[in-house]
Amino acid sequence: MTQNLISLAKLGKSQRCIVRTIDEKLLPHNVELEAGELERRILEIGIIEGVELTVLHFGLINRDPIAVQLGFNGTTIAIRRNEAAIILVELLNQD
């Protein structure tokens, strides 16, 4: 089954999605972290493959950070736009 994946950073307010993968190769080159470090941090805050996310808000400056709500427990997390860029998601139908 082919999935159309999009970066979490490209979603709009109120859009819902399912996390499918985290790909550190998409990280901008100006971010200096050891390989696997950012992925580990993202997983530790609960953004794991298969979890449903809802985009809630954007920051005032450059729409950064992005506030997302985790579907399994309703926790709200703020994540930087460049970190959200490596989280690939599948959009859910908007009912």
Side-chain angles (χ1 to χ4, degrees):
M1 180 172 117
T2 303
Q3 298 175 354
N4 293 324
L5 300 180
I6 186 170
S7 166
L8 177 60
K10 294 183 179 180
L11 268 56
K13 188 173 178 181
S14 300
Q15 285 190 293
R16 295 175 38 238
C17 62
I18 301 280
V19 175
R20 292 299 177 205
T21 190
I22 298 171
D23 187 356
E24 282 193 333
K25 293 179 215 147
L26 301 173
L27 190 64
H29 295 291
N30 62 348
V31 177
E32 296 182 18
L33 291 173
E34 291 184 30
E37 178 66 16
L38 183 56
E39 181 177 359
R40 181 187 63 77
R41 292 179 185 182
I42 289 171
L43 294 173
E44 284 179 351
I45 61 173
I47 300 178
I48 59 175
E49 291 180 15
V51 73
E52 182 178 322
L53 301 176
T54 303
V55 177
L56 299 177
H57 305 285
F58 299 103
L60 295 176
I61 300 173
N62 295 327
R63 295 173 32 114
D64 200 18
I66 301 168
V68 295
Q69 184 176 50
L70 300 178
F72 66 91
N73 65 3
T75 300
T76 299
I77 296 172
I79 186 167
R80 293 182 184 119
R81 186 166 290 280
N82 66 345
E83 295 166 351
I86 73 168
I87 301 169
L88 299 178
V89 300
E90 178 183 357
L91 285 174
L92 294 176
N93 293 334
Q94 304 294 312
D95 298 328

